Amino acid sequence: MPFDYKKEYKEFYLPKNRPSIVTIPKMNYIAVKGKGDPNDEDGEYKKSIGLLYAIAFTLKMSHRVGHEIDGYFEYVVPPLEGFWQQDGSADIDYAHKENFDFVSVIRLPDFITKDDFDWAIKEATVKKKTDFSKVELMEYDEGLCVQCMHIGSYDNEPETIGLMNDYIRTVGYESDITDIRRHHEIYLSDPRKCDISKLKTVIRHPIRKR
């Protein structure tokens, strides 16, 4: 049975639909940075997703093409995630999505090294005849956060964020969103296949003691 990060680390990927505080350890990701409206069919965000999944699956299937990774085990590719910001502000204006700065990421198993990542970039570039130079290897230590499962449209996220902000105030914390510690989303549903009212998205914000 392939290792499934969502099931093995439910505290990070399957929170309740009420706010809770969690400490996120250091993780490795493949990442693509960009700007613009995520709903733009020809925009940077949609292109970033294709680039990420191509590298993620090249690494997952590496053993089938003769690239041996030390410590490799069968695993399910973790869900797509995104770090979002607008003009360096802690607040997000959902009416002006064209102003988004984003970092799209997919978590990597710890056994994947920089050499394995470099191999995957070269392998995918040759096989898919695509430029993968925007894909980076990223290490991120997210630390202390508040998170909550949001169910429904992305445009309704302010309601869930409001609950999160109310909760952290009552337990002595405050938001710590900065240029480095950003609004974070983990996408558990595919919007192309799921009714918008049933979309599941983990929303996570960095916090600090008030």
Side-chain angles (χ1 to χ4, degrees), residues 2 12 48 86 125 173 177 183 185 196:
F12 302 147
S48 77
Q86 286 178 325
T125 298
Y173 292 90
I177 291 178
H183 171 96
E185 299 181 0
I196 193 170

Side-chain angles (χ1 to χ4, degrees), residues 94-202:
Y94 287 79
H96 291 282
K97 296 176 182 176
E98 71 277 5
N99 296 329
F100 272 128
D101 289 323
F102 66 82
V103 185
S104 293
V105 303
I106 294 176
R107 183 181 180 179
L108 290 177
D110 292 340
F111 55 70
I112 291 176
T113 66
K114 177 66 161 58
D115 287 343
D116 298 318
F117 169 78
D118 290 341
W119 168 84
I121 294 293
K122 292 177 183 177
E123 179 79 1
T125 298
V126 171
K127 285 195 170 183
K128 297 184 178 295
K129 296 180 173 55
T130 300
D131 180 8
F132 289 95
S133 61
K134 288 187 175 182
V135 185
E136 305 174 20
L137 187 61
M138 184 180 94
E139 182 183 79
Y140 189 54
D141 191 354
E142 196 164 11
L144 189 66
C145 296
V146 60
Q147 67 180 12
C148 186
M149 182 70 77
H150 172 75
I151 300 176
S153 169
Y154 303 127
D155 290 338
N156 294 335
E157 286 184 3
E159 298 173 14
T160 299
I161 293 171
L163 292 175
M164 292 163 61
N165 288 336
D166 290 343
Y167 172 73
I168 61 173
R169 279 193 293 269
T170 65
V171 293
Y173 292 90
E174 63 185 5
S175 177
D176 191 31
I177 291 178
T178 67
D179 286 343
I180 297 173
R181 305 188 76 202
R182 296 184 174 191
H183 171 96
H184 184 182
E185 299 181 0
I186 303 174
Y187 308 106
L188 303 179
S189 305
D190 186 338
R192 298 169 302 177
K193 303 175 182 178
C194 179
D195 186 276
I196 193 170
S197 66
K198 297 180 181 178
L199 288 174
K200 290 185 177 181
T201 308
V202 180

Side-chain angles (χ1 to χ4, degrees), residues 57-69 72 119:
F57 278 97
T58 297
L59 287 164
K60 174 180 167 62
M61 301 298 186
S62 58
H63 60 293
R64 297 191 181 182
V65 294
H67 180 79
E68 299 297 330
I69 297 177
Y72 180 93
W119 168 84

Side-chain angles (χ1 to χ4, degrees), residues 17-75:
N17 59 347
R18 59 179 182 271
S20 60
I21 291 174
V22 63
T23 299
I24 309 299
K26 187 184 297 181
M27 298 181 188
N28 294 322
Y29 300 88
I30 46 175
V32 176
K33 298 174 183 175
K35 298 176 179 289
D37 188 337
N39 296 319
D40 184 351
E41 288 299 327
D42 295 318
E44 293 183 24
Y45 179 71
K46 293 291 176 67
K47 292 176 183 176
S48 77
I49 296 175
L51 295 174
L52 287 176
Y53 274 110
I55 299 303
F57 278 97
T58 297
L59 287 164
K60 174 180 167 62
M61 301 298 186
S62 58
H63 60 293
R64 297 191 181 182
V65 294
H67 180 79
E68 299 297 330
I69 297 177
D70 188 34
Y72 180 93
F73 53 76
E74 290 280 357
Y75 64 96

Side-chain angles (χ1 to χ4, degrees), residues 2-14:
F3 186 91
D4 189 332
Y5 285 85
K6 295 192 303 298
K7 294 179 180 178
E8 298 296 332
Y9 296 102
K10 292 181 180 179
E11 68 272 30
F12 302 147
Y13 296 102
L14 298 171

